[in-house]
Amino acid sequence: MAISTVLSDELTRARTVPQVLIDRNVGKLTTLIDTKTVATTSIDEVGDVILFAPLPSNAVLVDVLFKNADLDTNGSPTLAANIGLYYFGDDNLKTTTTEFGDVVDADCIAAASTIFRAAVTTFTSVGPAIGDAGKRLWELAGLTSDPGGQFCVGITISAVSATPAAGAVQLRVDFI
């Protein structure tokens, strides 16, 4: 076999003439941490929503991570949740009339994640997918333009546990 050299997407763009650099992958990395103790009544129905962390709609999502208590004491059926984006409100949106808590895309970060079914004691990544790297939040949510304002990260219960349990959920979002 022959030794090969492979260039990343960003390095390939940098070596083109003229250079085509993607500026959205460069900037100040910001980490936001938010915590909520969740009651069993907040995770016992499909469609229950827990909202966290207001983020600028034009932020580039690097990672979404969770630490949490065991919110599913039985495990059968297993607690599952979609992780996505919700509108923060209409106070400074340019093109959309929305209310706080309206869904943008309920599963654009992760679909049917079972991370909450057992205790997670170190931050564990749930997304975004590799193909979504470098996308601004509004792009990740499938919007055609940036509405401005902020989005909240939301957990939406997609399958309920036989025995939900109350406990703390801590979200860490890394973004540019």
Side-chain angles (χ1 to χ4, degrees):
M1 295 213 163
I3 296 173
S4 64
T5 300
V6 179
L7 304 181
S8 71
D9 294 345
E10 193 64 28
L11 188 55
T12 299
R13 284 189 284 273
R15 291 188 46 81
T16 61
V17 177
Q19 282 188 335
V20 181
L21 298 177
I22 305 296
D23 67 348
R24 69 176 88 180
N25 294 332
V26 178
K28 179 181 172 189
L29 181 64
T30 302
T31 297
L32 189 146
I33 296 176
D34 197 1
T35 305
K36 177 65 181 163
T37 299
V38 179
T40 57
T41 55
S42 298
I43 57 171
D44 64 346
E45 299 286 336
V46 170
D48 282 347
V49 177
I50 305 159
L51 296 176
F52 294 89
L55 303 168
S57 63
N58 63 351
V60 175
L61 196 59
V62 175
D63 209 354
V64 176
L65 308 100
F66 284 97
K67 283 196 292 193
N68 54 270
D70 180 353
L71 301 180
D72 181 352
T73 60
N74 186 3
S76 181
T78 299
L79 178 66
N82 296 327
I83 301 164
L85 297 170
Y86 289 76
Y87 286 105
F88 183 74
D90 63 356
D91 56 335
N92 60 343
L93 297 176
K94 296 183 291 191
T95 60
T96 308
T97 302
T98 60
E99 298 295 325
F100 175 79
D102 286 353
V103 67
V104 181
D105 188 324
D107 64 357
C108 62
I109 297 169
S113 174
T114 57
I115 192 171
F116 307 109
R117 71 176 178 201
V120 177
T121 58
T122 59
F123 280 117
T124 302
S125 179
V126 295
I130 291 173
D132 291 328
K135 289 185 178 178
R136 300 193 189 284
L137 287 181
W138 63 269
E139 294 170 309
L140 185 64
L143 300 178
T144 56
S145 64
D146 184 1
Q150 299 181 64
F151 295 146
C152 300
V153 174
I155 299 169
T156 305
I157 303 303
S158 60
V160 294
S161 159
T163 51
V169 176
Q170 189 169 56
L171 166 75
R172 182 180 115 194
V173 180
D174 298 333
F175 63 97
I176 298 173

